[in-house]
Amino acid sequence: LARVRVRQHVNPLSQIYQTPIVPPDWNQVYAEPQQPLHLDIGCGWGRFLLEMAQLEPAWNFLGLEIREPLVHQALEIKSQAGLTNLYYLFCNANNSLKPLLDTLPPGVLQRVTIQFPDPWFKKRHQKRRVVQPDLVQNLAIYLAQQGQVFIQSDIKEVAQEIYNRFEENPAFQRVQTEHQWMPENPLPIATERELHVLNQQLPVYRTLFVRV
Ligand SMILES: C[S@@+](CC[C@H](N)C(=O)[O-])C[C@H]1O[C@@H](n2cnc3c(N)ncnc32)[C@H](O)[C@@H]1O
């Protein structure tokens, strides 16, 4: 499939993204809705999840993405691949996470990834960043005990801000590593942005938190 053309960024605070999603019927979405769920926030084109879902059939995978055409294309590719443990939803994670997680079977949310979120460098744009205190708190509420949150960014300042937001929430404990940032990605698949950054030999700032 040729890639649909989409804008590079959309503003999650704009009026059109303020309506929270109506959660789907999870029994229609997954063949085995009780399987552990891996949630990828800001999944972009969804290729990371497509490969993860093939590698780990005993898990379900859910991608949230605010650029709608990407979601349509990702769903089409998923259908062609015949995967019944993968789904993508068009929504704004900042207002849709709670209604979505609230309707899932209790305890299924066991892994969350937030990978290369849009940096929104300008000070006045920083409220557009996806990892806001409310998002961290909703993950604290719905993530299973010992559930993991893996974060990575090529922008140190962005990684540090997310790191601080999880570190200040008592529900999360950072997995200690020798240095502040994890040298390797613990997951078997690299995201598209990650491959792009690594190809340019640029550093990636990674951290892993556990729900305690
Ligand atoms: C830089 S891309 C990274 C995509 C992918 N995770 C990767 O590593 O290749 C960040 C993605 O997050 C999406 N995004 C940003 N804010 C969002 C929000 N509030 N809710 C859902 N998705 C969002 C963007 O549209 C974009 O596709």
Side-chain angles (χ1 to χ4, degrees):
L1 264 180
R3 287 188 158 194
V4 287
R5 288 177 62 114
V6 280
R7 295 165 65 178
Q8 265 242 287
H9 298 107
V10 302
N11 174 5
L13 300 180
S14 93
Q15 193 54 42
I16 54 168
Y17 301 116
Q18 297 321 302
T19 310
I21 195 172
V22 176
D25 175 356
W26 300 107
N27 294 308
Q28 304 283 315
V29 164
Y30 297 120
E32 304 286 346
Q34 302 292 337
Q35 291 191 153
L37 179 74
H38 176 150
L39 172 72
D40 191 36
I41 299 175
C43 64
W45 297 93
R47 196 203 51 95
F48 162 77
L49 288 180
L50 182 72
E51 293 191 30
M52 287 294 291
Q54 286 164 312
L55 271 183
E56 298 186 351
W59 282 70
N60 289 331
F61 294 85
L62 179 64
L64 306 185
E65 175 50 54
I66 201 167
R67 290 182 293 166
E68 191 171 14
L70 271 58
V71 174
H72 294 310
Q73 187 158 52
L75 281 172
E76 199 175 322
I77 295 170
K78 160 222 118 87
S79 293
Q80 286 173 4
L83 293 166
T84 57
N85 65 331
L86 172 61
Y87 209 69
Y88 304 94
L89 290 170
F90 159 58
C91 68
N92 178 355
N94 291 113
N95 58 29
S96 297
L97 196 58
K98 192 174 167 61
L100 284 174
L101 299 184
D102 204 46
T103 55
L104 284 168
V108 297
L109 182 65
Q110 294 189 25
R111 202 196 282 148
V112 178
T113 45
I114 306 168
Q115 307 184 87
F116 305 88
D118 291 334
W120 296 111
F121 287 110
K122 290 181 188 148
K123 191 87 198 151
R124 68 173 195 281
H125 285 166
Q126 287 176 7
K127 286 216 159 31
R128 300 180 183 184
R129 289 180 178 173
V130 72
V131 180
Q132 299 293 332
D134 263 9
L135 182 132
V136 177
Q137 187 51 28
N138 281 324
L139 293 179
I141 293 168
Y142 293 98
L143 194 61
Q145 287 289 321
Q146 298 304 309
Q148 299 185 337
V149 182
F150 176 60
I151 295 138
Q152 52 177 346
S153 175
D154 51 326
I155 316 292
K156 195 174 193 174
E157 188 243 311
V158 168
Q160 185 70 55
E161 182 190 62
I162 300 175
Y163 179 106
N164 294 346
R165 288 194 161 155
F166 279 92
E167 190 112 292
E168 73 199 13
N169 191 312
F172 291 103
Q173 199 164 64
R174 187 169 69 90
V175 173
Q176 297 292 327
T177 47
E178 191 187 343
H179 301 286
Q180 180 183 2
W181 305 106
M182 287 184 114
E184 302 282 337
N185 186 339
L187 296 171
I189 304 294
T191 73
E192 292 177 282
R193 178 73 200 166
E194 183 177 359
L195 292 173
H196 175 77
V197 171
L198 295 177
N199 277 341
Q200 293 181 67
Q201 323 254 310
L202 294 170
V204 176
Y205 304 94
R206 304 184 174 98
T207 187
L208 181 64
F209 285 88
V210 173
R211 174 74 172 91
V212 289

PDB file of all heavy atoms in Angstrom, residues 148-178:
ATOM      1  N   GLN A 148       4.144  -2.563  32.691  1.00  0.00           N
ATOM      2  CA  GLN A 148       5.299  -1.738  32.329  1.00  0.00           C
ATOM      3  C   GLN A 148       4.917  -0.568  31.423  1.00  0.00           C
ATOM      4  O   GLN A 148       4.012  -0.676  30.599  1.00  0.00           O
ATOM      5  CB  GLN A 148       6.313  -2.594  31.575  1.00  0.00           C
ATOM      6  CG  GLN A 148       6.838  -3.752  32.414  1.00  0.00           C
ATOM      7  CD  GLN A 148       7.931  -4.518  31.688  1.00  0.00           C
ATOM      8  OE1 GLN A 148       8.021  -4.478  30.468  1.00  0.00           O
ATOM      9  NE2 GLN A 148       8.756  -5.215  32.450  1.00  0.00           N
ATOM     10  N   VAL A 149       5.648   0.522  31.596  1.00  0.00           N
ATOM     11  CA  VAL A 149       5.540   1.658  30.678  1.00  0.00           C
ATOM     12  C   VAL A 149       6.929   1.914  30.121  1.00  0.00           C
ATOM     13  O   VAL A 149       7.863   2.230  30.870  1.00  0.00           O
ATOM     14  CB  VAL A 149       5.040   2.927  31.390  1.00  0.00           C
ATOM     15  CG1 VAL A 149       4.893   4.063  30.369  1.00  0.00           C
ATOM     16  CG2 VAL A 149       3.728   2.684  32.110  1.00  0.00           C
ATOM     17  N   PHE A 150       7.067   1.769  28.813  1.00  0.00           N
ATOM     18  CA  PHE A 150       8.354   1.996  28.161  1.00  0.00           C
ATOM     19  C   PHE A 150       8.263   3.283  27.356  1.00  0.00           C
ATOM     20  O   PHE A 150       7.329   3.480  26.570  1.00  0.00           O
ATOM     21  CB  PHE A 150       8.709   0.822  27.250  1.00  0.00           C
ATOM     22  CG  PHE A 150       9.980   1.035  26.474  1.00  0.00           C
ATOM     23  CD1 PHE A 150      11.187   1.230  27.130  1.00  0.00           C
ATOM     24  CD2 PHE A 150       9.964   1.061  25.078  1.00  0.00           C
ATOM     25  CE1 PHE A 150      12.360   1.445  26.420  1.00  0.00           C
ATOM     26  CE2 PHE A 150      11.132   1.270  24.362  1.00  0.00           C
ATOM     27  CZ  PHE A 150      12.328   1.462  25.028  1.00  0.00           C
ATOM     28  N   ILE A 151       9.269   4.146  27.574  1.00  0.00           N
ATOM     29  CA  ILE A 151       9.270   5.472  26.947  1.00  0.00           C
ATOM     30  C   ILE A 151      10.580   5.655  26.202  1.00  0.00           C
ATOM     31  O   ILE A 151      11.649   5.315  26.734  1.00  0.00           O
ATOM     32  CB  ILE A 151       9.166   6.551  28.047  1.00  0.00           C
ATOM     33  CG1 ILE A 151       7.816   6.443  28.766  1.00  0.00           C
ATOM     34  CG2 ILE A 151       9.372   7.949  27.482  1.00  0.00           C
ATOM     35  CD1 ILE A 151       7.943   6.610  30.232  1.00  0.00           C
ATOM     36  N   GLN A 152      10.502   6.195  25.005  1.00  0.00           N
ATOM     37  CA  GLN A 152      11.752   6.575  24.347  1.00  0.00           C
ATOM     38  C   GLN A 152      11.549   7.798  23.456  1.00  0.00           C
ATOM     39  O   GLN A 152      10.488   8.013  22.887  1.00  0.00           O
ATOM     40  CB  GLN A 152      12.394   5.422  23.586  1.00  0.00           C
ATOM     41  CG  GLN A 152      11.515   4.681  22.610  1.00  0.00           C
ATOM     42  CD  GLN A 152      12.290   3.610  21.861  1.00  0.00           C
ATOM     43  OE1 GLN A 152      13.527   3.577  21.862  1.00  0.00           O
ATOM     44  NE2 GLN A 152      11.580   2.729  21.180  1.00  0.00           N
ATOM     45  N   SER A 153      12.635   8.583  23.379  1.00  0.00           N
ATOM     46  CA  SER A 153      12.634   9.796  22.556  1.00  0.00           C
ATOM     47  C   SER A 153      14.059  10.098  22.142  1.00  0.00           C
ATOM     48  O   SER A 153      15.002   9.752  22.843  1.00  0.00           O
ATOM     49  CB  SER A 153      12.069  10.972  23.357  1.00  0.00           C
ATOM     50  OG  SER A 153      12.187  12.173  22.596  1.00  0.00           O
ATOM     51  N   ASP A 154      14.192  10.762  21.018  1.00  0.00           N
ATOM     52  CA  ASP A 154      15.524  11.226  20.613  1.00  0.00           C
ATOM     53  C   ASP A 154      15.789  12.639  21.132  1.00  0.00           C
ATOM     54  O   ASP A 154      16.885  13.163  20.938  1.00  0.00           O
ATOM     55  CB  ASP A 154      15.667  11.187  19.087  1.00  0.00           C
ATOM     56  CG  ASP A 154      14.523  11.886  18.366  1.00  0.00           C
ATOM     57  OD1 ASP A 154      13.379  11.830  18.864  1.00  0.00           O
ATOM     58  OD2 ASP A 154      14.767  12.487  17.311  1.00  0.00           O
ATOM     59  N   ILE A 155      14.790  13.235  21.761  1.00  0.00           N
ATOM     60  CA  ILE A 155      14.953  14.587  22.308  1.00  0.00           C
ATOM     61  C   ILE A 155      15.108  14.468  23.821  1.00  0.00           C
ATOM     62  O   ILE A 155      14.144  14.130  24.520  1.00  0.00           O
ATOM     63  CB  ILE A 155      13.727  15.482  21.992  1.00  0.00           C
ATOM     64  CG1 ILE A 155      13.261  15.314  20.551  1.00  0.00           C
ATOM     65  CG2 ILE A 155      14.014  16.944  22.357  1.00  0.00           C
ATOM     66  CD1 ILE A 155      14.202  15.831  19.509  1.00  0.00           C
ATOM     67  N   LYS A 156      16.292  14.762  24.318  1.00  0.00           N
ATOM     68  CA  LYS A 156      16.566  14.529  25.739  1.00  0.00           C
ATOM     69  C   LYS A 156      15.596  15.290  26.641  1.00  0.00           C
ATOM     70  O   LYS A 156      15.106  14.751  27.637  1.00  0.00           O
ATOM     71  CB  LYS A 156      18.009  14.935  26.046  1.00  0.00           C
ATOM     72  CG  LYS A 156      18.504  14.397  27.369  1.00  0.00           C
ATOM     73  CD  LYS A 156      19.980  14.721  27.536  1.00  0.00           C
ATOM     74  CE  LYS A 156      20.576  13.929  28.683  1.00  0.00           C
ATOM     75  NZ  LYS A 156      22.033  14.131  28.752  1.00  0.00           N
ATOM     76  N   GLU A 157      15.314  16.513  26.291  1.00  0.00           N
ATOM     77  CA  GLU A 157      14.452  17.338  27.132  1.00  0.00           C
ATOM     78  C   GLU A 157      13.039  16.742  27.220  1.00  0.00           C
ATOM     79  O   GLU A 157      12.397  16.772  28.271  1.00  0.00           O
ATOM     80  CB  GLU A 157      14.417  18.755  26.545  1.00  0.00           C
ATOM     81  CG  GLU A 157      13.724  19.787  27.397  1.00  0.00           C
ATOM     82  CD  GLU A 157      12.497  20.370  26.726  1.00  0.00           C
ATOM     83  OE1 GLU A 157      12.597  20.772  25.549  1.00  0.00           O
ATOM     84  OE2 GLU A 157      11.447  20.405  27.385  1.00  0.00           O
ATOM     85  N   VAL A 158      12.570  16.199  26.127  1.00  0.00           N
ATOM     86  CA  VAL A 158      11.244  15.568  26.110  1.00  0.00           C
ATOM     87  C   VAL A 158      11.267  14.287  26.953  1.00  0.00           C
ATOM     88  O   VAL A 158      10.377  14.045  27.771  1.00  0.00           O
ATOM     89  CB  VAL A 158      10.818  15.265  24.655  1.00  0.00           C
ATOM     90  CG1 VAL A 158       9.598  14.368  24.603  1.00  0.00           C
ATOM     91  CG2 VAL A 158      10.569  16.566  23.900  1.00  0.00           C
ATOM     92  N   ALA A 159      12.316  13.494  26.767  1.00  0.00           N
ATOM     93  CA  ALA A 159      12.447  12.261  27.546  1.00  0.00           C
ATOM     94  C   ALA A 159      12.520  12.593  29.041  1.00  0.00           C
ATOM     95  O   ALA A 159      11.895  11.920  29.866  1.00  0.00           O
ATOM     96  CB  ALA A 159      13.691  11.489  27.107  1.00  0.00           C
ATOM     97  N   GLN A 160      13.249  13.647  29.370  1.00  0.00           N
ATOM     98  CA  GLN A 160      13.414  14.028  30.778  1.00  0.00           C
ATOM     99  C   GLN A 160      12.083  14.492  31.384  1.00  0.00           C
ATOM    100  O   GLN A 160      11.757  14.149  32.521  1.00  0.00           O
ATOM    101  CB  GLN A 160      14.463  15.150  30.902  1.00  0.00           C
ATOM    102  CG  GLN A 160      14.786  15.526  32.339  1.00  0.00           C
ATOM    103  CD  GLN A 160      15.550  14.438  33.071  1.00  0.00           C
ATOM    104  OE1 GLN A 160      16.598  13.988  32.628  1.00  0.00           O
ATOM    105  NE2 GLN A 160      15.008  13.989  34.205  1.00  0.00           N
ATOM    106  N   GLU A 161      11.318  15.232  30.619  1.00  0.00           N
ATOM    107  CA  GLU A 161      10.023  15.696  31.139  1.00  0.00           C
ATOM    108  C   GLU A 161       9.099  14.510  31.423  1.00  0.00           C
ATOM    109  O   GLU A 161       8.452  14.449  32.470  1.00  0.00           O
ATOM    110  CB  GLU A 161       9.352  16.644  30.145  1.00  0.00           C
ATOM    111  CG  GLU A 161       8.033  17.172  30.667  1.00  0.00           C
ATOM    112  CD  GLU A 161       7.231  17.919  29.609  1.00  0.00           C
ATOM    113  OE1 GLU A 161       6.845  17.305  28.600  1.00  0.00           O
ATOM    114  OE2 GLU A 161       7.011  19.114  29.808  1.00  0.00           O
ATOM    115  N   ILE A 162       9.074  13.544  30.517  1.00  0.00           N
ATOM    116  CA  ILE A 162       8.213  12.366  30.714  1.00  0.00           C
ATOM    117  C   ILE A 162       8.717  11.564  31.919  1.00  0.00           C
ATOM    118  O   ILE A 162       7.936  11.137  32.775  1.00  0.00           O
ATOM    119  CB  ILE A 162       8.188  11.501  29.441  1.00  0.00           C
ATOM    120  CG1 ILE A 162       7.644  12.318  28.264  1.00  0.00           C
ATOM    121  CG2 ILE A 162       7.355  10.254  29.660  1.00  0.00           C
ATOM    122  CD1 ILE A 162       7.702  11.587  26.923  1.00  0.00           C
ATOM    123  N   TYR A 163      10.009  11.396  31.950  1.00  0.00           N
ATOM    124  CA  TYR A 163      10.666  10.695  33.069  1.00  0.00           C
ATOM    125  C   TYR A 163      10.231  11.317  34.392  1.00  0.00           C
ATOM    126  O   TYR A 163       9.806  10.630  35.325  1.00  0.00           O
ATOM    127  CB  TYR A 163      12.162  10.855  32.830  1.00  0.00           C
ATOM    128  CG  TYR A 163      13.108  10.256  33.829  1.00  0.00           C
ATOM    129  CD1 TYR A 163      13.813   9.099  33.514  1.00  0.00           C
ATOM    130  CD2 TYR A 163      13.361  10.869  35.052  1.00  0.00           C
ATOM    131  CE1 TYR A 163      14.730   8.568  34.400  1.00  0.00           C
ATOM    132  CE2 TYR A 163      14.275  10.340  35.942  1.00  0.00           C
ATOM    133  CZ  TYR A 163      14.957   9.196  35.611  1.00  0.00           C
ATOM    134  OH  TYR A 163      15.860   8.669  36.488  1.00  0.00           O
ATOM    135  N   ASN A 164      10.296  12.640  34.476  1.00  0.00           N
ATOM    136  CA  ASN A 164       9.930  13.330  35.718  1.00  0.00           C
ATOM    137  C   ASN A 164       8.463  13.098  36.071  1.00  0.00           C
ATOM    138  O   ASN A 164       8.116  12.925  37.230  1.00  0.00           O
ATOM    139  CB  ASN A 164      10.194  14.834  35.600  1.00  0.00           C
ATOM    140  CG  ASN A 164      11.674  15.147  35.474  1.00  0.00           C
ATOM    141  OD1 ASN A 164      12.528  14.297  35.718  1.00  0.00           O
ATOM    142  ND2 ASN A 164      11.991  16.373  35.068  1.00  0.00           N
ATOM    143  N   ARG A 165       7.620  13.086  35.058  1.00  0.00           N
ATOM    144  CA  ARG A 165       6.177  12.943  35.333  1.00  0.00           C
ATOM    145  C   ARG A 165       5.847  11.553  35.865  1.00  0.00           C
ATOM    146  O   ARG A 165       4.937  11.414  36.693  1.00  0.00           O
ATOM    147  CB  ARG A 165       5.366  13.271  34.088  1.00  0.00           C
ATOM    148  CG  ARG A 165       5.419  14.761  33.838  1.00  0.00           C
ATOM    149  CD  ARG A 165       4.428  15.283  32.865  1.00  0.00           C
ATOM    150  NE  ARG A 165       4.329  16.724  33.098  1.00  0.00           N
ATOM    151  CZ  ARG A 165       3.955  17.624  32.194  1.00  0.00           C
ATOM    152  NH1 ARG A 165       3.624  17.234  30.990  1.00  0.00           N
ATOM    153  NH2 ARG A 165       3.881  18.888  32.513  1.00  0.00           N
ATOM    154  N   PHE A 166       6.554  10.543  35.392  1.00  0.00           N
ATOM    155  CA  PHE A 166       6.326   9.198  35.944  1.00  0.00           C
ATOM    156  C   PHE A 166       7.008   9.050  37.297  1.00  0.00           C
ATOM    157  O   PHE A 166       6.447   8.460  38.213  1.00  0.00           O
ATOM    158  CB  PHE A 166       6.800   8.121  34.962  1.00  0.00           C
ATOM    159  CG  PHE A 166       5.791   7.850  33.882  1.00  0.00           C
ATOM    160  CD1 PHE A 166       5.845   8.534  32.675  1.00  0.00           C
ATOM    161  CD2 PHE A 166       4.781   6.925  34.078  1.00  0.00           C
ATOM    162  CE1 PHE A 166       4.898   8.307  31.679  1.00  0.00           C
ATOM    163  CE2 PHE A 166       3.831   6.682  33.088  1.00  0.00           C
ATOM    164  CZ  PHE A 166       3.893   7.380  31.883  1.00  0.00           C
ATOM    165  N   GLU A 167       8.201   9.613  37.411  1.00  0.00           N
ATOM    166  CA  GLU A 167       8.948   9.498  38.665  1.00  0.00           C
ATOM    167  C   GLU A 167       8.183  10.156  39.820  1.00  0.00           C
ATOM    168  O   GLU A 167       8.226   9.682  40.949  1.00  0.00           O
ATOM    169  CB  GLU A 167      10.333  10.146  38.493  1.00  0.00           C
ATOM    170  CG  GLU A 167      11.255   9.870  39.658  1.00  0.00           C
ATOM    171  CD  GLU A 167      12.427   8.980  39.297  1.00  0.00           C
ATOM    172  OE1 GLU A 167      12.201   7.778  39.012  1.00  0.00           O
ATOM    173  OE2 GLU A 167      13.552   9.473  39.318  1.00  0.00           O
ATOM    174  N   GLU A 168       7.464  11.244  39.549  1.00  0.00           N
ATOM    175  CA  GLU A 168       6.771  11.941  40.640  1.00  0.00           C
ATOM    176  C   GLU A 168       5.444  11.264  40.994  1.00  0.00           C
ATOM    177  O   GLU A 168       4.812  11.636  41.965  1.00  0.00           O
ATOM    178  CB  GLU A 168       6.558  13.425  40.285  1.00  0.00           C
ATOM    179  CG  GLU A 168       5.499  13.675  39.228  1.00  0.00           C
ATOM    180  CD  GLU A 168       5.619  15.053  38.563  1.00  0.00           C
ATOM    181  OE1 GLU A 168       6.664  15.721  38.744  1.00  0.00           O
ATOM    182  OE2 GLU A 168       4.678  15.441  37.864  1.00  0.00           O
ATOM    183  N   ASN A 169       5.033  10.271  40.220  1.00  0.00           N
ATOM    184  CA  ASN A 169       3.798   9.558  40.543  1.00  0.00           C
ATOM    185  C   ASN A 169       4.154   8.314  41.363  1.00  0.00           C
ATOM    186  O   ASN A 169       4.852   7.431  40.871  1.00  0.00           O
ATOM    187  CB  ASN A 169       3.073   9.167  39.255  1.00  0.00           C
ATOM    188  CG  ASN A 169       1.672   8.664  39.538  1.00  0.00           C
ATOM    189  OD1 ASN A 169       1.467   7.826  40.419  1.00  0.00           O
ATOM    190  ND2 ASN A 169       0.696   9.177  38.811  1.00  0.00           N
ATOM    191  N   PRO A 170       3.670   8.224  42.626  1.00  0.00           N
ATOM    192  CA  PRO A 170       4.077   7.113  43.502  1.00  0.00           C
ATOM    193  C   PRO A 170       3.651   5.739  42.996  1.00  0.00           C
ATOM    194  O   PRO A 170       4.148   4.717  43.481  1.00  0.00           O
ATOM    195  CB  PRO A 170       3.406   7.436  44.848  1.00  0.00           C
ATOM    196  CG  PRO A 170       2.372   8.471  44.559  1.00  0.00           C
ATOM    197  CD  PRO A 170       2.770   9.177  43.303  1.00  0.00           C
ATOM    198  N   ALA A 171       2.743   5.684  42.024  1.00  0.00           N
ATOM    199  CA  ALA A 171       2.313   4.388  41.485  1.00  0.00           C
ATOM    200  C   ALA A 171       3.385   3.748  40.599  1.00  0.00           C
ATOM    201  O   ALA A 171       3.302   2.572  40.273  1.00  0.00           O
ATOM    202  CB  ALA A 171       1.033   4.563  40.680  1.00  0.00           C
ATOM    203  N   PHE A 172       4.391   4.537  40.228  1.00  0.00           N
ATOM    204  CA  PHE A 172       5.398   4.012  39.296  1.00  0.00           C
ATOM    205  C   PHE A 172       6.779   3.973  39.924  1.00  0.00           C
ATOM    206  O   PHE A 172       7.162   4.877  40.664  1.00  0.00           O
ATOM    207  CB  PHE A 172       5.449   4.871  38.027  1.00  0.00           C
ATOM    208  CG  PHE A 172       4.217   4.731  37.200  1.00  0.00           C
ATOM    209  CD1 PHE A 172       3.234   5.714  37.203  1.00  0.00           C
ATOM    210  CD2 PHE A 172       4.012   3.586  36.430  1.00  0.00           C
ATOM    211  CE1 PHE A 172       2.080   5.571  36.454  1.00  0.00           C
ATOM    212  CE2 PHE A 172       2.862   3.440  35.677  1.00  0.00           C
ATOM    213  CZ  PHE A 172       1.895   4.431  35.685  1.00  0.00           C
ATOM    214  N   GLN A 173       7.499   2.923  39.608  1.00  0.00           N
ATOM    215  CA  GLN A 173       8.892   2.799  40.023  1.00  0.00           C
ATOM    216  C   GLN A 173       9.739   2.595  38.771  1.00  0.00           C
ATOM    217  O   GLN A 173       9.397   1.773  37.926  1.00  0.00           O
ATOM    218  CB  GLN A 173       9.025   1.587  40.936  1.00  0.00           C
ATOM    219  CG  GLN A 173      10.268   1.616  41.786  1.00  0.00           C
ATOM    220  CD  GLN A 173      10.136   0.625  42.924  1.00  0.00           C
ATOM    221  OE1 GLN A 173      10.041  -0.580  42.690  1.00  0.00           O
ATOM    222  NE2 GLN A 173      10.108   1.116  44.151  1.00  0.00           N
ATOM    223  N   ARG A 174      10.821   3.332  38.698  1.00  0.00           N
ATOM    224  CA  ARG A 174      11.688   3.206  37.534  1.00  0.00           C
ATOM    225  C   ARG A 174      12.527   1.944  37.649  1.00  0.00           C
ATOM    226  O   ARG A 174      13.015   1.618  38.723  1.00  0.00           O
ATOM    227  CB  ARG A 174      12.601   4.427  37.433  1.00  0.00           C
ATOM    228  CG  ARG A 174      13.419   4.456  36.157  1.00  0.00           C
ATOM    229  CD  ARG A 174      14.100   5.796  35.991  1.00  0.00           C
ATOM    230  NE  ARG A 174      15.145   6.015  36.970  1.00  0.00           N
ATOM    231  CZ  ARG A 174      16.428   5.665  36.788  1.00  0.00           C
ATOM    232  NH1 ARG A 174      16.802   5.077  35.662  1.00  0.00           N
ATOM    233  NH2 ARG A 174      17.317   5.905  37.709  1.00  0.00           N
ATOM    234  N   VAL A 175      12.696   1.249  36.554  1.00  0.00           N
ATOM    235  CA  VAL A 175      13.594   0.092  36.530  1.00  0.00           C
ATOM    236  C   VAL A 175      15.011   0.648  36.474  1.00  0.00           C
ATOM    237  O   VAL A 175      15.380   1.351  35.528  1.00  0.00           O
ATOM    238  CB  VAL A 175      13.280  -0.817  35.320  1.00  0.00           C
ATOM    239  CG1 VAL A 175      14.303  -1.929  35.195  1.00  0.00           C
ATOM    240  CG2 VAL A 175      11.871  -1.388  35.455  1.00  0.00           C
ATOM    241  N   GLN A 176      15.775   0.360  37.525  1.00  0.00           N
ATOM    242  CA  GLN A 176      17.110   0.949  37.677  1.00  0.00           C
ATOM    243  C   GLN A 176      18.068   0.410  36.622  1.00  0.00           C
ATOM    244  O   GLN A 176      18.078  -0.775  36.334  1.00  0.00           O
ATOM    245  CB  GLN A 176      17.670   0.638  39.071  1.00  0.00           C
ATOM    246  CG  GLN A 176      16.848   1.245  40.205  1.00  0.00           C
ATOM    247  CD  GLN A 176      16.918   2.767  40.251  1.00  0.00           C
ATOM    248  OE1 GLN A 176      17.948   3.352  39.918  1.00  0.00           O
ATOM    249  NE2 GLN A 176      15.828   3.411  40.637  1.00  0.00           N
ATOM    250  N   THR A 177      18.827   1.312  36.061  1.00  0.00           N
ATOM    251  CA  THR A 177      19.885   0.915  35.124  1.00  0.00           C
ATOM    252  C   THR A 177      21.162   1.629  35.571  1.00  0.00           C
ATOM    253  O   THR A 177      21.107   2.570  36.364  1.00  0.00           O
ATOM    254  CB  THR A 177      19.529   1.335  33.680  1.00  0.00           C
ATOM    255  OG1 THR A 177      19.075   2.695  33.685  1.00  0.00           O
ATOM    256  CG2 THR A 177      18.440   0.464  33.099  1.00  0.00           C
ATOM    257  N   GLU A 178      22.276   1.213  35.051  1.00  0.00           N
ATOM    258  CA  GLU A 178      23.554   1.764  35.491  1.00  0.00           C
ATOM    259  C   GLU A 178      23.587   3.280  35.290  1.00  0.00           C
ATOM    260  O   GLU A 178      24.009   4.032  36.152  1.00  0.00           O
ATOM    261  CB  GLU A 178      24.689   1.088  34.715  1.00  0.00           C
ATOM    262  CG  GLU A 178      26.051   1.400  35.300  1.00  0.00           C
ATOM    263  CD  GLU A 178      27.180   0.865  34.420  1.00  0.00           C
ATOM    264  OE1 GLU A 178      26.915  -0.010  33.548  1.00  0.00           O
ATOM    265  OE2 GLU A 178      28.312   1.339  34.587  1.00  0.00           O
TER     266      GLU A 178
END
